[in-house]
């Protein structure tokens, strides 16, 4: 019985480590999106065209992958980053991530778009990592979101917003708004809603 328990515990630890590794890889992509506002400031339209091109290219590669055609590098990255729920399905996360960034850049003033994209990059990205690593208490009705993850989202967005605005009041309110939005069980569509909604909210309270 002890040997069987040890084997089961070993399997659990391997699965946990694999889940954390996938989350680290996936959220590193989120965090890298924080460079987009800088690129938009230097070359707005070329950056938008690069984002659109990346979106279209990824979409084509995903459809080909589902048909059994492996695309070097892209298919491997998708395979490594995909959640269990995405197995044998179109991995939507990268699409909604880029769409959210593009929408924020197109419809929001630059300072609001920057805050919204930072909320997606740091707030949503670090919240998920924190929840995986140290999250113990889950939030009812949130589909597994944790108190630790939500607090991490608040702190990350507060710091990022204060960096952008030097306004403590606006940063506090924006951090709270991001925290409550991140709690919602939106699946991959939080990538679209967070940058646009938080950017608009920041523009309203600043």
């Amino acid at each position: 019985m002890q040997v069987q328990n040890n084997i089961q515990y070993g399997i659990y630890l391997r699965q946990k480590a694999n889940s954390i590794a996938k989350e680290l890889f996936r959220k590193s992509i989120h965090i890298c999106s924080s460079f987009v506002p800088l690129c938009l400031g230097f070359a707005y339209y070329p950056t938008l065209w690069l984002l659109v091109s990346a979106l279209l290219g990824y979409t084509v590669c995903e459809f080909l992958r589902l048909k059994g055609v492996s695309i070097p590098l892209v298919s491997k990255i998708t395979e490594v980053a995909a959640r269990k729920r995405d197995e044998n399905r179109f991995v939507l996360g990268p699409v909604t991530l880029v769409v959210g960034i593009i929408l924020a850049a197109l419809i929001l003033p630059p300072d609001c778009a920057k805050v919204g994209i930072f909320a997606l990059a740091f707030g949503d990205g670090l919240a998920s990592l924190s929840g995986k690593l140290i999250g113990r208490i889950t939030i009812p009705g949130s589909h597994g979101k944790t108190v630790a993850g939500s607090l991490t989202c608040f702190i990350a967005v507060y710091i990022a917003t204060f960096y952008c605005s030097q306004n403590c009041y606006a940063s506090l309110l924006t951090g709270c708004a991001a925290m409550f939005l991140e709690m919602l069980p939106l699946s991959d569509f939080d990538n679209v809603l967070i940058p646009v909604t938080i950017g608009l909210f920041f523009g309203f309270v600043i």
Side-chain angles (χ1 to χ4, degrees):
M1 179 65 71
Q2 183 64 38
V3 173
Q4 184 178 2
N5 288 339
N6 288 341
I7 292 173
Q8 290 176 343
Y9 185 64
I11 293 172
Y12 166 78
L13 287 179
R14 284 194 297 273
Q15 290 175 339
K16 183 74 172 177
N18 184 55
S19 175
I20 290 173
K22 280 180 174 287
E23 201 66 23
L24 280 169
F25 182 79
R26 186 164 44 246
K27 294 308 177 181
S28 67
I29 299 173
H30 264 66
I31 294 170
C32 284
S33 66
S34 63
F35 290 103
V36 172
L38 178 64
C39 297
L40 288 168
F42 279 111
Y44 180 82
Y45 288 106
T47 300
L48 281 180
W49 279 115
L50 282 173
L51 289 170
V52 171
S53 298
L55 175 62
L56 294 175
Y58 172 81
T59 301
V60 171
C61 289
E62 264 300 89
F63 279 122
L64 290 173
R65 183 182 67 84
L66 292 175
K67 292 182 178 295
V69 180
S70 180
I71 307 299
L73 187 62
V74 178
S75 296
K76 185 62 179 177
I77 290 174
T78 303
E79 179 185 334
V80 171
R83 292 185 175 98
K84 188 172 181 62
R85 72 181 187 215
D86 293 323
E87 289 180 1
N88 302 315
R89 295 173 54 189
F90 188 103
V91 180
L92 198 59
V95 172
T96 55
L97 178 73
V98 177
V99 168
I101 292 171
I102 290 173
L103 287 176
L106 286 175
I107 67 178
L108 298 175
D111 57 339
C112 297
K114 186 176 183 179
V115 168
I117 293 169
F118 279 175
L120 176 62
F122 299 118
D124 185 51
L126 295 177
S128 183
L129 288 177
S130 176
K132 285 282 186 183
L133 292 171
I134 62 173
R136 296 293 182 271
I137 304 172
T138 58
I139 301 169
S142 67
H143 291 196
K145 301 290 181 71
T146 65
V147 172
S150 294
L151 288 176
T152 300
C153 178
F154 166 76
I155 293 169
V157 175
Y158 172 83
I159 292 172
T161 306
F162 187 78
Y163 167 78
C164 294
S165 67
Q166 303 298 304
N167 186 315
C168 186
Y169 173 74
S171 301
L172 182 65
L173 291 180
T174 304
C176 288
M179 179 179 68
F180 286 113
L181 185 59
E182 192 274 335
M183 283 182 191
L184 300 176
L186 299 170
S187 189
D188 289 319
F189 292 98
D190 60 353
N191 292 340
V192 177
L193 289 176
I194 287 175
V196 175
T197 304
I198 297 304
L200 285 170
F201 182 86
F202 171 74
F204 177 75
V205 300
I206 192 67

